Amino acid sequence: MPDAQEGLFAAVDALLEEAAGTLPPPGERVRLREAGSLTQAQVAKALRVRRETVADWEAARKEPRPPKRAAYIRLLEGLAARHPVSEPTAAPTPPPESEVHPAPSAAPSSPAAAERAEGEAAAPVAPSRPRRAVEPSQAPHRPARTTPRTKVVAEKTAPKRPAPVPADVDPRFGNGPLGVLDGDGSLYCVGGLVLDCPATTLPALVEWTLAEAKLGAPRLHKSGKDSDPLIVLTAGAAELLGLPATLEDRRGLRLPEDHKAVKQLTKADWKLTRRGFGPWVRIYRSADGGRRRCVQLAVLPWGALDARSWGDTGQLPPAEVAAVLGTYATRVLTPRGSTAVCGLELMSALRPPTRAVRDETTGSWVSGPLPGSLTEPVDPAPPEAPMEHPVVAARYPRFHERTPAEALDEEAYDWFRPLTDEECTQGYTHAVGIDVNMAFAAAANRLNVGLGPATHVRAPAFDPKLPGSWLVDLSQLDLDPRLPSPFTPRGDRPEGPGWYSTSTVAYALELGARVRPVEAYVRHEHGAYLDPWYARLRDAYLETMADLGVTTGMSDEEFLAAMAHHKDADAGRAAVLSAVKSTVKGGIGKLRERPQSARHTYGEGWPALQRPTWSPHIRAELIGKARTNMHRKMTKLASVGRYPVAVLSDCAVYVSRGPSPLDFLPYTPEGKPLPGGFRLGVNPGMVKHEGTQDFLWLASMIEDEQLNPARHIKGTDAVADGE
């Protein structure tokens, strides 16, 4: 009886906490915090949440949940008691907008300036409209424009009654990291803010953005660079600025250099990067006194937002596009191209290659390498380089197919096996796929990677703390054929010596192999370069999953139920989630980017090789660790009689007597997941339900079609879907 009573009391206490009080309106929440001279970061630290969460509460984008809700209400009530609302004073009624006259300008400084000013005064000037806040999901109704625009209005007056910039926001970027420009001149920013952009040409747009828009984002590392403002162009905005509806050059994806828009920029002394004017374009001038002068554009009708990464974001109304991209920019970084490009750029933003150091000779500050970063491009070791690389071309004929003893082949799993007689006769009814959350991001955590050039050594002693590539024979290990080999992507047993990353060779030692390397390319300069990259993407992933109703600490049943419908909760947040996951995989792929130009000549270099982050050895190290992590967990399940029938990258398929992962995942007598095995949950490295098919489908896929069931367990082609 006492236990039952305590349970009732606990339930009542939970109700009281949920009804602890009502939250004041969003504007009042901001006022109370600012009246108490508190920053969002201070509130977040006290309530043990992220600063972005407090910002969402203050903007009413989401509401706090128990037990944070009661604590937040208590804070606001305490601040309200100390800082009550003062009685408003009567303010003079402003004159109608038609009666507002601009202040006289300063006298021209030269005859030429006077002539220019006279010409400008004669031209009709578009009236300045105040910026205003709207709900991101609702585009405001706009009356028809009655006043013509000027050709270039770079000196437009400031908006009336500008909204105050929160204390913890850099005033240079008070309007957020980006804006989405529509065809009527509306610039939709983060948080529902809308600015009136007067520009009708590309040079005017760039000038206005740098002078008045207050867009951008502060650097992620003290030695890094602030993010340049991003302007996203809708189809209407592209037409307004004189851009074509589609790109005729489908191979190069760029405007021809003689296009009118490009000529306008060149005439105004603006420059383009080597990739030219494409779906993502960077327009810049040389820095002025250390101040960057650069604006990025993303052209939506040209496919700037790939549907495989962003879903239908490119088709949404401008305000919603701003909300999706703004969330990504806040949690990851301001988009700078594809999600693959963003993944690579994030590495450099968090670990810049250089820092300011004082020259002891002159006493001035100069640029120097930043310890722990990739500071300069280095050549790969011959087995690490792709076939087009000059290092390989110098060793082998063009069409030579390198053997495992000549090339490092650290790739993700693509393996399946025939069903055993026991599996066919034991009454299994389903095939169930489980997928590791953020598997490659999880592998990056605390991963020791090389930061400098490789040193070639003969017959070295293996050192698991020394990243590199090792030529070693791992074929002597006799492993269970119901499991894939951890040493090859196809899961086949090695037939002789081969090149492996340190992660893979260390796992071979763990399995009892005799490791005697023939030779190696090792990197004595090394460190956990990817740790901050992993941490930021992990936090972005978990926060976005929480927005979609999937949180840490859920029971297995609650987690599976939440995951079944999490993408239906909010299409915009689901798009952010997809982009975050694509950022991980794409960024890793960019570490070994191959030639993109059809005009590339075999054996010659390509632009990606000039990046310090072109590091195929890091990619190999990371994928090797992800694959061996997968094998370690499968081996643990095999110890209790559970064997996979197929694996594709981070998805494993098991036979089951029911349709749920709960029907085959092993648990201890205490009801806990098997230690060291797969565990359901939202955290990176845990697993989710990937899909279920019936047992006859599995048998047909393997025996008749000879296809990997893990590729199709969801009912679609996982690779084609960008998985």
Side-chain angles (χ1 to χ4, degrees):
M1 187 66 180
D3 291 341
Q5 190 175 33
E6 288 181 8
L8 291 173
F9 285 173
V12 171
D13 289 342
L15 287 176
L16 289 173
E17 183 179 80
E18 189 169 343
T22 57
L23 285 163
E28 179 64 3
R29 302 175 199 178
V30 177
R31 185 195 74 80
L32 290 172
R33 176 178 57 76
E34 292 179 345
S37 299
L38 299 176
T39 66
Q40 289 179 340
Q42 288 174 307
V43 175
K45 183 177 181 181
L47 297 179
R48 299 177 183 176
V49 297
R50 291 171 52 83
R51 185 196 65 77
E52 291 81 5
T53 301
V54 175
D56 284 344
W57 292 349
E58 292 184 349
R61 287 191 288 268
K62 62 182 180 182
E63 296 295 309
R65 301 175 182 174
K68 309 292 186 186
R69 185 174 185 273
Y72 186 45
I73 290 174
R74 183 173 181 179
L75 169 65
L76 296 177
E77 289 175 346
L79 291 171
R82 297 185 182 188
H83 307 283
V85 179
S86 58
E87 290 295 326
T89 57
T93 304
E97 187 171 348
S98 60
E99 298 179 11
V100 177
H101 302 285
S105 59
S109 58
S110 66
E115 183 179 349
R116 185 168 57 252
E118 184 179 351
E120 290 175 352
V125 179
S128 172
R129 289 185 302 209
R131 63 183 185 177
R132 57 216 180 277
V134 299
E135 291 297 325
S137 60
Q138 298 178 352
H141 171 72
R142 286 186 169 276
R145 188 180 303 282
T146 58
T147 308
R149 292 181 181 271
T150 58
K151 215 169 192 181
V152 178
V153 193
E155 298 296 326
K156 182 182 173 185
T157 57
K160 305 179 187 73
R161 305 185 215 38
V165 178
D168 58 343
V169 173
D170 191 321
R172 297 174 300 161
F173 314 125
N175 293 334
L178 55 89
V180 181
L181 183 63
D182 206 0
D184 63 354
S186 302
L187 186 74
Y188 295 82
C189 303
V190 175
L193 180 70
V194 183
L195 303 179
D196 181 50
C197 174
T200 57
T201 66
L202 285 169
L205 174 62
V206 176
E207 295 277 6
W208 179 84
T209 300
L210 292 174
E212 299 190 37
K214 292 186 177 180
L215 295 178
R219 64 198 65 188
L220 298 179
H221 187 283
K222 64 180 181 180
S223 296
K225 300 175 182 176
D226 297 328
S227 289
D228 298 317
L230 169 64
I231 303 294
V232 182
L233 304 181
T234 65
E239 181 181 2
L240 174 70
L241 296 170
L243 298 176
T246 58
L247 278 177
E248 295 182 3
D249 180 6
R250 301 310 301 167
R251 179 182 293 275
L253 287 178
R254 64 181 63 189
L255 286 178
E257 294 183 1
D258 60 354
H259 190 275
K260 179 181 177 181
V262 178
K263 287 183 175 181
Q264 285 179 338
L265 292 168
T266 303
K267 186 176 180 180
D269 295 327
W270 290 103
K271 301 177 183 178
L272 302 177
T273 58
R274 284 189 299 180
R275 64 182 176 184
F277 201 120
W280 290 90
V281 58
R282 191 180 293 268
I283 304 170
Y284 72 98
R285 284 177 182 156
S286 300
D288 180 16
R291 182 174 64 90
R292 287 172 63 82
R293 296 185 293 176
C294 181
V295 173
Q296 301 176 96
L297 301 182
V299 188
L300 293 182
W302 296 356
L305 299 180
D306 191 330
R308 291 172 296 179
S309 302
W310 292 100
D312 296 330
T313 301
Q315 310 302 320
L316 296 175
E320 296 183 29
V321 175
V324 172
L325 297 182
T327 301
Y328 179 89
T330 301
R331 296 178 182 176
V332 183
L333 86 166
T334 304
R336 303 177 184 180
S338 67
T339 50
V341 169
C342 292
L344 200 68
E345 291 282 344
L346 181 61
M347 296 179 195
S348 296
L350 295 167
R351 296 267 200 189
T354 61
R355 62 173 177 173
V357 295
R358 187 178 293 277
D359 188 325
E360 296 182 359
T361 304
T362 63
S364 60
W365 290 95
V366 297
S367 179
L370 180 65
S373 293
L374 297 171
T375 59
E376 60 182 0
V378 297
D379 283 336
E384 299 165 350
M387 60 178 293
E388 304 92 346
H389 197 280
V391 168
V392 178
R395 288 189 168 214
Y396 307 107
R398 178 170 184 177
F399 298 105
H400 174 75
E401 186 172 343
R402 290 187 289 172
T403 67
E406 296 170 336
L408 181 69
D409 188 25
E410 294 283 15
E411 299 293 341
Y413 271 132
D414 186 357
W415 168 88
F416 65 98
R417 63 171 174 82
L419 296 170
T420 65
D421 292 341
E422 182 182 5
E423 289 166 341
C424 293
T425 59
Q426 290 299 309
Y428 292 111
T429 57
H430 293 85
V432 181
I434 53 174
D435 182 81
V436 180
N437 302 322
M438 302 275 281
F440 297 103
N445 187 25
R446 298 190 298 274
L447 180 66
N448 188 27
V449 300
L451 303 177
T455 300
H456 184 223
V457 290
R458 295 279 184 184
F462 176 68
D463 183 352
K465 296 181 180 180
L466 192 60
S469 301
W470 309 78
L471 180 61
V472 61
D473 188 353
L474 300 179
S475 62
Q476 75 273 17
L477 272 181
D478 189 14
L479 301 176
D480 194 312
R482 289 171 293 182
L483 290 172
S485 167
F487 309 128
T488 63
R490 304 294 298 182
D492 302 325
R493 183 173 178 171
E495 297 180 353
W499 285 97
Y500 305 97
S501 67
T502 298
S503 297
T504 302
V505 181
Y507 185 59
L509 276 179
E510 188 178 320
L511 295 177
R514 295 172 58 193
V515 174
R516 295 179 178 176
V518 178
E519 59 179 308
Y521 289 90
V522 297
R523 289 175 168 82
H524 296 288
E525 183 184 352
H526 52 81
Y529 172 75
L530 294 173
D531 270 9
W533 184 80
Y534 161 74
R536 187 163 179 85
L537 288 167
R538 175 204 60 202
D539 292 348
Y541 169 77
L542 290 176
E543 190 166 355
T544 306
M545 289 297 286
D547 290 341
L548 295 170
V550 186
T551 60
T552 58
M554 285 181 160
S555 69
D556 290 352
E557 293 79 4
E558 292 172 334
F559 170 72
L560 290 173
M563 286 296 296
H565 305 289
H566 74 290
K567 292 185 179 179
D568 303 329
D570 186 319
R573 302 288 180 169
V576 175
L577 177 65
S578 174
V580 170
K581 295 194 290 186
S582 295
T583 301
V584 174
K585 292 188 176 181
I588 294 169
K590 280 282 186 181
L591 291 169
R592 191 178 180 259
E593 182 179 353
R594 301 176 83 164
Q596 302 297 305
S597 173
R599 293 174 293 184
H600 174 262
T601 301
Y602 176 80
E604 292 185 355
W606 56 95
L609 303 186
Q610 303 305 312
R611 298 193 309 249
T613 48
W614 193 83
S615 304
H617 59 280
I618 294 182
R619 177 184 178 274
E621 201 75 62
L622 196 153
I623 293 178
K625 183 179 178 183
R627 193 183 64 246
T628 54
N629 282 349
M630 194 83 173
H631 190 273
R632 185 180 290 107
K633 293 178 184 295
M634 291 188 293
T635 300
K636 195 65 178 180
L637 262 65
S639 68
V640 293
R642 310 284 203 278
Y643 293 90
V645 294
V647 184
L648 181 72
S649 187
D650 46 10
C651 172
V653 175
Y654 284 81
V655 293
S656 173
R657 291 184 172 85
S660 168
L662 296 175
D663 294 316
F664 77 88
L665 286 176
Y667 288 78
T668 66
E670 296 76 25
K672 302 292 185 181
L674 182 70
F678 293 115
R679 180 177 180 180
L680 291 168
V682 69
N683 286 328
M686 293 184 175
V687 298
K688 61 180 182 292
H689 183 202
E690 178 72 357
T692 296
Q693 301 289 341
D694 62 54
F695 187 83
L696 292 179
W697 172 92
L698 175 71
S700 174
M701 188 69 63
I702 293 175
E703 305 296 341
D704 299 336
E705 301 187 42
Q706 293 290 302
L707 295 175
N708 188 340
R711 183 184 295 268
H712 304 279
I713 193 69
K714 292 176 69 173
T716 59
D717 188 319
V719 175
D721 290 345
E723 297 271 335

